[in-house]
Amino acid sequence: MSSFERGILSEHDLKKTGNKVVYGIMVLFIALMVFSMLYPILMTMFNGLKSNQEVNSFPPHFFPKEWHFNNLKEGLNYIDLLMFLKNTFFIFVGNMVITLVVLGMSSFSISRMNVPGKKVFYFFFLMTLFIPAASYMIPNFVNLKELGLLNQYAAFWLPAGANTFYFLLLKNFFDGLHPEIFEAARIDGASEPRSFFTIAVPLSVPIFATLAIFIFSTAWNDWFWPSLVMHSEDKYTLATAIYKYVINVKALNNNIKFAILFMVSVPPILVFLLFQKFIMRGVSLSAVKG
Protein backbone atom coordinates (compact mmCIF):
# COMPACT_ATOMS: atom_id res chain seq x y z
CA MET A 1 0.00 0.00 0.00
CA SER A 2 1.37 3.40 -0.94
CA SER A 3 2.50 5.69 1.89
CA PHE A 4 1.34 8.79 -0.03
CA GLU A 5 -2.02 10.37 0.66
CA ARG A 6 -4.76 9.51 -1.77
CA GLY A 7 -5.40 12.23 -4.32
CA ILE A 8 -8.44 12.98 -6.44
CA LEU A 9 -7.78 9.90 -8.56
CA SER A 10 -6.39 6.62 -7.22
CA GLU A 11 -4.26 4.17 -9.21
CA HIS A 12 -7.39 2.11 -9.84
CA ASP A 13 -9.26 5.17 -11.18
CA LEU A 14 -6.43 5.95 -13.61
CA LYS A 15 -6.84 2.55 -15.23
CA LYS A 16 -10.17 3.66 -16.69
CA THR A 17 -9.91 5.20 -20.16
CA GLY A 18 -12.34 8.03 -19.44
CA ASN A 19 -10.45 9.09 -16.32
CA LYS A 20 -7.16 8.99 -18.23
CA VAL A 21 -8.55 11.40 -20.82
CA VAL A 22 -9.89 13.80 -18.20
CA TYR A 23 -6.65 13.60 -16.22
CA GLY A 24 -4.62 14.26 -19.37
CA ILE A 25 -6.72 17.34 -20.18
CA MET A 26 -6.21 18.63 -16.64
CA VAL A 27 -2.45 18.18 -16.88
CA LEU A 28 -2.44 19.90 -20.28
CA PHE A 29 -4.25 22.95 -18.93
CA ILE A 30 -1.92 23.12 -15.93
CA ALA A 31 1.09 22.93 -18.24
CA LEU A 32 -0.33 25.72 -20.41
CA MET A 33 -0.95 27.84 -17.33
CA VAL A 34 2.61 27.30 -16.08
CA PHE A 35 4.00 28.13 -19.51
CA SER A 36 1.95 31.33 -19.77
CA MET A 37 3.34 32.46 -16.39
CA LEU A 38 6.97 31.51 -16.94
CA TYR A 39 7.29 32.64 -20.56
CA PRO A 40 7.24 36.43 -19.92
CA ILE A 41 9.80 36.09 -17.11
CA LEU A 42 12.15 33.88 -19.12
CA MET A 43 11.73 36.03 -22.24
CA THR A 44 12.63 39.14 -20.23
CA MET A 45 15.69 37.40 -18.78
CA PHE A 46 16.98 36.08 -22.10
CA ASN A 47 16.37 39.40 -23.90
CA GLY A 48 18.32 41.08 -21.14
CA LEU A 49 21.28 38.82 -21.93
CA LYS A 50 21.24 39.40 -25.71
CA SER A 51 22.88 42.09 -27.77
CA ASN A 52 20.66 44.99 -28.77
CA GLN A 53 20.84 43.96 -32.43
CA GLU A 54 19.72 40.44 -31.55
CA VAL A 55 16.78 41.74 -29.48
CA ASN A 56 15.56 43.83 -32.42
CA SER A 57 16.10 41.09 -35.02
CA PHE A 58 13.21 39.40 -36.83
CA PRO A 59 12.08 36.69 -36.53
CA PRO A 60 12.79 36.69 -32.79
CA HIS A 61 14.27 33.66 -31.09
CA PHE A 62 14.04 32.54 -27.51
CA PHE A 63 17.61 31.78 -26.42
CA PRO A 64 20.51 34.21 -26.97
CA LYS A 65 23.10 33.34 -29.60
CA GLU A 66 25.70 35.15 -27.50
CA TRP A 67 25.41 35.73 -23.77
CA HIS A 68 26.03 39.33 -22.67
CA PHE A 69 26.09 39.27 -18.87
CA ASN A 70 27.60 42.75 -18.84
CA ASN A 71 24.10 44.05 -19.67
CA LEU A 72 23.21 43.54 -16.02
CA LYS A 73 26.15 45.70 -14.94
CA GLU A 74 25.23 48.40 -17.47
CA GLY A 75 21.68 48.37 -16.16
CA LEU A 76 22.89 48.90 -12.59
CA ASN A 77 25.10 51.78 -13.74
CA TYR A 78 22.30 53.39 -15.76
CA ILE A 79 19.85 53.85 -12.90
CA ASP A 80 20.36 54.10 -9.14
CA LEU A 81 18.30 51.05 -8.26
CA LEU A 82 19.50 51.02 -4.65
CA MET A 83 18.16 54.51 -3.95
CA PHE A 84 14.75 53.75 -5.43
CA LEU A 85 14.76 50.39 -3.67
CA LYS A 86 15.41 52.16 -0.36
CA ASN A 87 12.45 54.49 -0.97
CA THR A 88 10.18 51.57 -1.81
CA PHE A 89 11.30 49.64 1.25
CA PHE A 90 10.76 52.71 3.46
CA ILE A 91 7.20 53.04 2.19
CA PHE A 92 6.58 49.33 2.76
CA VAL A 93 7.84 49.46 6.36
CA GLY A 94 5.73 52.55 7.13
CA ASN A 95 2.62 51.00 5.60
CA MET A 96 3.22 47.80 7.55
CA VAL A 97 3.57 49.65 10.86
CA ILE A 98 0.41 51.68 10.19
CA THR A 99 -1.46 48.50 9.29
CA LEU A 100 -0.30 46.78 12.46
CA VAL A 101 -1.09 49.66 14.80
CA VAL A 102 -4.07 51.49 13.28
CA LEU A 103 -5.91 48.74 11.41
CA GLY A 104 -4.85 46.07 13.89
CA MET A 105 -6.11 47.94 16.96
CA SER A 106 -9.29 49.17 15.24
CA SER A 107 -10.20 45.69 13.97
CA PHE A 108 -9.37 44.24 17.39
CA SER A 109 -11.68 46.80 19.00
CA ILE A 110 -14.57 45.93 16.69
CA SER A 111 -13.97 42.22 17.17
CA ARG A 112 -13.23 41.90 20.88
CA MET A 113 -14.61 44.99 22.64
CA ASN A 114 -18.18 46.03 23.32
CA VAL A 115 -18.12 48.98 20.96
CA PRO A 116 -21.59 50.59 20.58
CA GLY A 117 -22.96 50.00 17.10
CA LYS A 118 -20.00 47.89 15.98
CA LYS A 119 -22.18 45.98 13.51
CA VAL A 120 -23.06 49.28 11.84
CA PHE A 121 -19.37 50.16 11.58
CA TYR A 122 -18.59 46.72 10.18
CA PHE A 123 -21.19 46.88 7.42
CA PHE A 124 -20.23 50.47 6.65
CA PHE A 125 -16.64 49.38 6.06
CA LEU A 126 -17.91 46.41 4.06
CA MET A 127 -19.90 48.68 1.75
CA THR A 128 -16.84 50.80 0.95
CA LEU A 129 -15.33 47.81 -0.85
CA PHE A 130 -17.86 48.38 -3.64
CA ILE A 131 -16.63 51.93 -4.29
CA PRO A 132 -14.14 52.05 -7.21
CA ALA A 133 -10.66 53.15 -6.15
CA ALA A 134 -10.48 55.67 -9.02
CA SER A 135 -13.45 57.59 -7.57
CA TYR A 136 -11.63 58.62 -4.39
CA MET A 137 -8.14 59.08 -5.83
CA ILE A 138 -8.69 62.80 -6.55
CA PRO A 139 -10.24 63.52 -3.11
CA ASN A 140 -7.26 61.76 -1.49
CA PHE A 141 -4.85 63.87 -3.51
CA VAL A 142 -6.68 67.10 -2.60
CA ASN A 143 -6.74 66.16 1.10
CA LEU A 144 -3.01 65.40 1.12
CA LYS A 145 -2.30 68.67 -0.67
CA GLU A 146 -4.33 70.64 1.88
CA LEU A 147 -2.47 68.89 4.69
CA GLY A 148 0.90 69.70 3.10
CA LEU A 149 1.84 66.03 2.78
CA LEU A 150 2.73 65.95 -0.92
CA ASN A 151 6.25 64.76 -1.64
CA GLN A 152 6.23 63.15 1.82
CA TYR A 153 6.18 59.48 2.76
CA ALA A 154 3.13 60.24 4.88
CA ALA A 155 1.22 60.48 1.59
CA PHE A 156 1.46 56.67 1.53
CA TRP A 157 1.26 55.95 5.24
CA LEU A 158 -1.90 57.96 5.92
CA PRO A 159 -4.09 56.16 3.30
CA ALA A 160 -2.66 52.84 4.51
CA GLY A 161 -4.55 53.34 7.76
CA ALA A 162 -7.86 53.32 5.88
CA ASN A 163 -7.56 50.09 3.90
CA THR A 164 -10.94 48.40 4.28
CA PHE A 165 -9.84 45.07 2.82
CA TYR A 166 -7.02 44.67 5.32
CA PHE A 167 -9.32 45.82 8.13
CA LEU A 168 -11.88 43.12 7.31
CA LEU A 169 -9.21 40.42 7.03
CA LEU A 170 -7.87 41.31 10.47
CA LYS A 171 -11.32 41.65 12.01
CA ASN A 172 -12.45 38.24 10.85
CA PHE A 173 -9.18 36.68 11.96
CA PHE A 174 -9.59 38.14 15.45
CA ASP A 175 -13.15 36.76 15.51
CA GLY A 176 -11.64 33.27 15.31
CA LEU A 177 -9.45 33.68 18.40
CA HIS A 178 -10.74 32.13 21.60
CA PRO A 179 -12.34 34.83 23.77
CA GLU A 180 -11.36 32.98 26.97
CA ILE A 181 -7.74 34.07 26.47
CA PHE A 182 -8.64 37.75 26.54
CA GLU A 183 -11.09 37.29 29.40
CA ALA A 184 -8.32 35.70 31.48
CA ALA A 185 -6.03 38.61 30.60
CA ARG A 186 -8.66 41.11 31.78
CA ILE A 187 -9.06 39.22 35.06
CA ASP A 188 -5.29 39.45 35.56
CA GLY A 189 -5.52 43.22 35.08
CA ALA A 190 -4.26 43.53 31.49
CA SER A 191 -5.52 46.55 29.58
CA GLU A 192 -6.96 46.25 26.09
CA PRO A 193 -3.83 47.64 24.36
CA ARG A 194 -1.67 45.22 26.33
CA SER A 195 -3.95 42.33 25.41
CA PHE A 196 -3.64 43.32 21.78
CA PHE A 197 0.16 43.61 21.66
CA THR A 198 1.03 40.72 23.99
CA ILE A 199 -1.70 38.22 23.05
CA ALA A 200 -3.46 39.08 19.79
CA VAL A 201 -0.39 40.09 17.77
CA PRO A 202 1.69 36.95 18.56
CA LEU A 203 -1.32 34.77 17.72
CA SER A 204 -1.86 36.68 14.47
CA VAL A 205 1.50 36.07 12.82
CA PRO A 206 -0.08 34.19 9.84
CA ILE A 207 -2.47 37.01 8.92
CA PHE A 208 0.13 39.75 9.43
CA ALA A 209 2.60 37.77 7.31
CA THR A 210 -0.06 37.55 4.60
CA LEU A 211 -0.70 41.29 4.79
CA ALA A 212 3.05 41.92 4.63
CA ILE A 213 3.15 40.12 1.27
CA PHE A 214 0.18 42.11 -0.03
CA ILE A 215 1.65 45.42 1.19
CA PHE A 216 5.06 44.61 -0.26
CA SER A 217 3.51 43.73 -3.62
CA THR A 218 1.54 46.99 -3.67
CA ALA A 219 4.54 49.12 -2.73
CA TRP A 220 6.70 47.35 -5.31
CA ASN A 221 4.29 47.49 -8.25
CA ASP A 222 2.43 50.78 -7.81
CA TRP A 223 3.78 53.56 -10.00
CA PHE A 224 0.80 55.84 -10.69
CA TRP A 225 0.04 57.07 -7.15
CA PRO A 226 3.75 57.69 -6.33
CA SER A 227 4.11 59.66 -9.55
CA LEU A 228 1.24 61.91 -8.40
CA VAL A 229 2.32 62.62 -4.83
CA MET A 230 6.13 62.48 -5.15
CA HIS A 231 7.68 65.39 -7.06
CA SER A 232 11.41 64.95 -6.41
CA GLU A 233 13.51 62.25 -8.04
CA ASP A 234 15.24 61.23 -4.82
CA LYS A 235 11.87 60.09 -3.40
CA TYR A 236 10.57 58.11 -6.36
CA THR A 237 9.64 54.49 -5.78
CA LEU A 238 11.24 51.79 -7.88
CA ALA A 239 8.18 51.28 -10.10
CA THR A 240 7.86 55.02 -10.79
CA ALA A 241 11.56 55.30 -11.64
CA ILE A 242 11.35 52.29 -13.97
CA TYR A 243 8.36 53.80 -15.76
CA LYS A 244 9.90 57.26 -16.13
CA TYR A 245 13.55 56.44 -16.81
CA VAL A 246 13.44 53.00 -18.45
CA ILE A 247 10.17 52.23 -20.20
CA ASN A 248 9.52 55.74 -21.54
CA VAL A 249 13.11 56.39 -22.66
CA LYS A 250 13.57 55.72 -26.37
CA ALA A 251 17.33 56.34 -26.40
CA LEU A 252 18.01 53.38 -24.10
CA ASN A 253 18.87 50.11 -25.83
CA ASN A 254 16.18 47.46 -25.53
CA ASN A 255 18.52 44.81 -24.18
CA ILE A 256 19.47 47.11 -21.27
CA LYS A 257 15.77 47.78 -20.66
CA PHE A 258 15.08 44.07 -20.45
CA ALA A 259 18.07 43.56 -18.16
CA ILE A 260 16.77 46.21 -15.73
CA LEU A 261 13.22 44.86 -15.89
CA PHE A 262 14.46 41.36 -15.12
CA MET A 263 16.51 42.53 -12.13
CA VAL A 264 13.54 44.36 -10.59
CA SER A 265 11.23 41.38 -11.18
CA VAL A 266 13.38 38.93 -9.21
CA PRO A 267 12.87 40.23 -5.61
CA PRO A 268 9.03 39.97 -5.56
CA ILE A 269 9.24 36.48 -7.04
CA LEU A 270 11.65 35.42 -4.29
CA VAL A 271 9.46 37.00 -1.61
CA PHE A 272 6.44 35.12 -2.91
CA LEU A 273 8.28 31.78 -3.10
CA LEU A 274 9.60 32.15 0.44
CA PHE A 275 6.31 33.23 2.04
CA GLN A 276 3.67 31.70 -0.21
CA LYS A 277 2.48 29.33 2.52
CA PHE A 278 1.28 32.30 4.56
CA ILE A 279 -1.01 33.59 1.79
CA MET A 280 -3.55 30.75 1.67
CA ARG A 281 -3.19 30.05 5.37
CA GLY A 282 -3.80 33.65 6.39
CA VAL A 283 -6.68 34.22 3.97
CA SER A 284 -8.39 30.94 4.90
CA LEU A 285 -8.06 31.64 8.63
CA SER A 286 -9.54 35.11 8.14
CA ALA A 287 -12.32 34.09 5.75
CA VAL A 288 -15.59 35.95 6.21
CA LYS A 289 -17.85 33.91 8.44
CA GLY A 290 -21.55 33.72 7.89
Side-chain angles (χ1 to χ4, degrees):
M1 185 175 179
S2 176
S3 59
F4 295 101
E5 294 183 3
R6 187 183 186 279
I8 298 176
L9 297 176
S10 65
E11 295 182 1
H12 176 72
D13 295 330
L14 289 175
K15 293 180 181 179
K16 299 179 181 179
T17 305
N19 289 339
K20 286 183 179 179
V21 173
V22 175
Y23 186 75
I25 295 175
M26 292 170 57
V27 173
L28 176 62
F29 277 103
I30 293 174
L32 291 174
M33 181 179 65
V34 172
F35 175 78
S36 66
M37 293 180 179
L38 291 180
Y39 179 80
I41 301 173
L42 295 177
M43 196 66 182
T44 302
M45 180 183 70
F46 290 138
N47 282 342
L49 299 176
K50 297 177 182 177
S51 64
N52 189 54
Q53 182 180 1
E54 190 176 359
V55 172
N56 297 323
S57 62
F58 187 85
H61 48 275
F62 192 67
F63 296 102
K65 293 181 179 178
E66 295 182 359
W67 299 82
H68 296 265
F69 291 98
N70 60 317
N71 292 346
L72 301 176
K73 184 178 179 180
E74 290 186 30
L76 289 174
N77 294 332
Y78 172 76
I79 187 173
D80 192 354
L81 292 178
L82 293 179
M83 180 184 71
F84 301 125
L85 178 61
K86 179 195 69 175
N87 297 339
T88 303
F89 184 75
F90 196 48
I91 292 172
F92 159 70
V93 172
N95 288 353
M96 192 64 209
V97 172
I98 292 295
T99 300
L100 172 64
V101 177
V102 178
L103 293 181
M105 296 188 72
S106 61
S107 59
F108 180 78
S109 301
I110 295 294
S111 175
R112 289 299 168 195
M113 296 176 63
N114 294 323
V115 179
K118 62 180 182 180
K119 289 187 177 180
V120 177
F121 285 110
Y122 175 76
F123 284 108
F124 172 77
F125 292 139
L126 189 64
M127 286 188 296
T128 61
L129 290 176
F130 297 93
I131 302 176
S135 64
Y136 53 79
M137 183 173 294
I138 295 178
N140 280 347
F141 179 84
V142 174
N143 289 334
L144 293 173
K145 182 179 179 181
E146 294 295 329
L147 293 172
L149 296 179
L150 294 182
N151 207 36
Q152 303 290 332
Y153 292 114
F156 299 91
W157 300 338
L158 189 62
N163 192 304
T164 305
F165 178 67
Y166 296 164
F167 171 84
L168 294 178
L169 282 180
L170 289 168
K171 189 267 181 189
N172 286 283
F173 183 89
F174 291 142
D175 286 345
L177 299 179
H178 295 293
E180 293 83 4
I181 303 175
F182 302 102
E183 292 176 0
R186 294 188 188 99
I187 294 174
D188 292 338
S191 61
E192 297 298 338
R194 185 177 180 182
S195 297
F196 171 73
F197 285 107
T198 60
I199 300 176
V201 172
L203 293 175
S204 306
V205 171
I207 188 61
F208 280 114
T210 302
L211 292 182
I213 297 174
F214 291 160
I215 295 171
F216 175 81
S217 176
T218 301
W220 191 272
N221 295 322
D222 189 19
W223 66 270
F224 185 69
W225 181 251
S227 65
L228 287 179
V229 299
M230 291 300 192
H231 303 151
S232 57
E233 179 182 341
D234 59 338
K235 290 189 176 181
Y236 282 163
T237 62
L238 188 61
T240 302
I242 293 298
Y243 180 78
K244 287 181 176 289
Y245 304 134
V246 177
I247 296 178
N248 279 350
V249 176
K250 296 182 180 180
L252 182 64
N253 291 337
N254 287 330
N255 60 336
I256 305 301
K257 286 185 179 182
F258 279 111
I260 296 174
L261 292 175
F262 171 70
M263 287 188 289
V264 300
S265 66
V266 171
I269 295 175
L270 295 179
V271 169
F272 175 79
L273 292 176
L274 291 174
F275 300 101
Q276 60 176 324
K277 63 179 181 180
F278 290 108
I279 295 180
M280 294 307 300
R281 182 183 176 189
V283 173
S284 61
L285 289 175
S286 60
V288 178
K289 302 174 181 61

